[in-house]
Amino acid sequence: MFDIICVTSRTLCCEEFLNRLEKIAAARPAGIILREKDLTETAYRQLAQQVLALCQSARVPCILHGFVHTAIALKAGAIHVPLPVLRSMTAAQKRCFRILGASCHSTEEALEAQALGCTYITAGHIFQTGCKRGLPGRGPGFLQGICSSVSVPVYAIGGINSENLCAVRQAGARGACIMSSLMQCPDPGKYLQTLVKAGEQCEIQP
């Protein structure tokens, strides 16, 4: 199994944001991370309530991002955080989440996140992406090093598309996180199907 997770970005979205998320959720990705880092916690909470309801209706996991107290208050059950936030979380806070993810940019960070109780990590950025202008991707070799170092699922992020998806899967990743293309493509449902098919057709070396 190779999972595709949607990471949201309102500023990149080519249509009304909730309409786009409804289309994405209908295509049943493995999850939707509500990232929206530019919002205040109050504004994020208001949006999160809507997106949680939308995802629940579509039976798609919704993973909130960054705001631990808001996620607990909304009983979200799933959150993704930067590593500094993960370091500051208490054991009681961690127990509120059945899914706890963190963003990692080195093998050392991945090992630390695992030791701090993450149920999965994201590793990036793997390929060059417009979101990281001027910074070359770390490449499949970097991803493979992380995947071989930790026992929790690893999801690749950064510049991933149907053409390079096989390299991600062959590196040992459980799946891939997709942001820009899902926010901007004409038909997110069709594009998700293309990604899932590309992942399933990869030849994995024994």
Side-chain angles (χ1 to χ4, degrees):
M1 180 180 292
F2 189 81
D3 295 332
I4 302 297
I5 294 176
C6 168
V7 180
T8 73
S9 174
R10 298 173 356 276
T11 58
L12 295 176
C13 198
C14 65
E15 64 177 307
E16 198 278 325
F17 183 60
L18 291 179
N19 285 345
R20 171 63 43 149
L21 287 194
E22 189 171 4
K23 293 174 183 177
I24 292 171
R28 303 296 299 276
I32 294 176
I33 298 176
L34 184 64
R35 194 162 176 259
E36 309 313 320
K37 294 169 66 176
D38 63 307
L39 293 178
T40 65
E41 185 157 7
T42 299
Y44 184 90
R45 178 170 179 160
Q46 293 172 348
L47 179 62
Q49 288 175 313
Q50 296 175 285
V51 176
L52 282 165
L54 185 154
C55 288
Q56 184 177 15
S57 178
R59 297 185 180 180
V60 171
C62 179
I63 303 169
L64 299 192
H65 186 281
F67 295 115
V68 175
H69 295 293
T70 286
I72 293 172
L74 295 177
K75 299 180 180 180
I79 194 169
H80 187 97
V81 294
L83 190 55
V85 174
L86 178 65
R87 291 173 181 143
S88 70
M89 290 176 68
T90 66
Q93 287 175 327
K94 292 175 186 176
R95 286 195 294 270
C96 294
F97 303 103
R98 68 183 184 282
I99 297 173
L100 176 60
S103 303
C104 298
H105 305 94
S106 69
T107 298
E108 292 74 20
E109 288 186 354
L111 288 167
E112 181 183 359
Q114 178 176 260
L116 288 171
C118 275
T119 62
Y120 78 92
I121 63 171
T122 59
H125 64 286
I126 305 305
F127 302 105
Q128 190 165 358
T129 170
C131 297
K132 303 283 186 181
R133 294 189 185 279
L135 295 175
R138 293 182 170 93
F142 160 83
L143 177 61
Q144 185 173 17
I146 288 183
C147 292
S148 63
S149 298
V150 297
S151 57
V152 296
V154 177
Y155 294 87
I157 191 168
I160 298 166
N161 55 45
S162 58
E163 284 71 41
N164 57 33
L165 201 63
C166 273
V168 168
R169 186 173 184 188
Q170 289 167 349
R174 174 71 64 84
C177 296
I178 310 292
M179 184 171 69
S180 301
S181 53
L182 277 175
M183 294 293 102
Q184 298 175 337
C185 64
D187 187 337
K190 184 176 181 180
Y191 187 62
L192 265 170
Q193 291 176 357
T194 299
L195 293 170
V196 170
K197 185 176 181 180
E200 290 176 346
Q201 291 179 342
C202 291
E203 293 185 9
I204 306 302
Q205 300 299 321

